[in-house]
Amino acid sequence: MMKIAFYIFPDFQLLDLSGPHTAFQVASTRQAPSPYTISLLSATGGAITSSGGVSVLSEKLEHQAPDTLIVCGGQGVGALLEDETALQQLADAAAKSRRIASVCTGAFVLAHLGLLNQKRATTHWQQVARMQKAYPHVRMDGDRIFVRDGNIWTSAGITSGIDLALALIEHDCGSIMSRDVAQHMVVSQRRAGGQSQFSPILQMEPETARIRKAMDYAQQHLREIRDMEQLAAIACLSVRQFSRIFKVETGETPARAIERLRIEAARIRLESGTGNIQQIAAAVGFGTQERMRRAFIRWTGHPPQVIRRRMLSAERR
């Protein structure tokens, strides 16, 4: 029987706990003897209040040695990173655990403890750049729902904790058990796509018809766009007016928006096996393979070749 322990702290994100906790709880009822026991741990024990105001009871982490230690994320991560006593307790528990995982910004805690040095990891897409800057020795993979590197598992934002738990259950108990749990929870066993599908830049709905028209044109003519003058002309605005209104309505500059749209278009082609990397770079408007490579690293933390290799690996399986 494997002990799954969730680590929580003041102002943790409740869904980081409740989603994966439910997955393991369901799995524990699907097999006899039960494969899991589940516990909630904290630095102090007792009632710990989430950022949403809901309190849950926990045991004190000190001297605990769970099989799998899962660190939740949330608003309180910053304060946790300044609590030396709590961090030492976590480091000691991690050293005794067979497997360590994080949900959302819980990855910052693992990185702070040095557990992610030279390892691939992910976190919420909004925090990827911040984490890359704060912990340059971590190999960030910002487009993944979850990442496994050896005995370390990290997941993206909030509900991805469920994806992480299902993957851990599959690793422990097999795909039939994982599928059964997913069906019971009415969720996907394996979610398609990466975090980029949830970025607002790919779901932009500008307020004005002029900006919407320019965005529609951009999505359909990524290869032909060479400068902002083209989009400004489509919107019947000066370049200065277009840039200002675009930023107000979407929160992004036109250049950044186009680059993100190109990355998404390229990712779809890479995953579908449509063309080689140079052909894809040309087809979506990057022009050269090197320009596309730099853009992918800037936004996702890895080059496009990684996505192509994953696709080929999945096909072989």
Side-chain angles (χ1 to χ4, degrees), residues 111-239:
H112 194 80
L113 294 175
L115 298 172
L116 299 182
N117 286 350
Q118 306 306 324
K119 289 187 177 290
R120 291 171 50 248
T122 193
T123 189
H124 193 290
W125 63 268
Q126 289 180 315
Q127 301 295 329
V128 169
R130 176 172 160 245
M131 186 161 173
Q132 188 80 79
K133 183 177 180 180
Y135 304 102
H137 296 302
V138 180
R139 295 161 54 197
M140 290 303 296
D141 195 342
D143 192 43
R144 299 293 297 278
I145 298 296
F146 69 87
V147 170
R148 178 193 179 187
D149 193 328
N151 71 326
I152 306 288
W153 301 62
T154 53
S155 63
I158 309 180
T159 60
S160 66
I162 298 173
D163 301 88
L164 172 72
L166 291 172
L168 291 168
I169 291 167
E170 180 171 353
H171 184 262
D172 296 336
C173 306
S175 61
I176 294 176
M177 169 74 87
S178 176
R179 183 171 64 247
D180 183 33
V181 172
Q183 289 174 342
H184 181 83
M185 295 179 67
V186 198
V187 297
S188 298
Q189 183 183 13
R190 296 184 185 87
R191 203 185 324 191
Q195 291 198 79
S196 60
Q197 67 185 302
F198 304 107
S199 172
I201 196 67
L202 302 179
Q203 303 173 23
M204 289 187 301
E205 295 184 359
E207 297 175 12
T208 59
R210 290 183 176 189
I211 302 301
R212 286 199 299 270
K213 184 178 179 181
M215 281 303 303
D216 289 343
Y217 177 87
Q219 288 179 300
Q220 297 170 23
H221 300 85
L222 286 173
R223 182 171 187 166
E224 292 81 17
I225 296 172
R226 291 291 174 264
D227 50 50
M228 289 306 106
E229 282 83 355
Q230 291 172 264
L231 295 182
I234 295 294
C236 299
L237 295 167
S238 70
V239 172

Side-chain angles (χ1 to χ4, degrees), residues 3-32:
K3 182 176 181 179
I4 306 296
F6 290 90
Y7 184 81
I8 57 176
F9 44 86
D11 286 332
F12 73 96
Q13 168 55 245
L14 185 61
L15 192 51
D16 284 5
L17 168 66
S18 61
H21 184 285
T22 298
F24 285 112
Q25 185 272 323
V26 171
S28 70
T29 67
R30 289 299 197 265
Q31 184 175 300

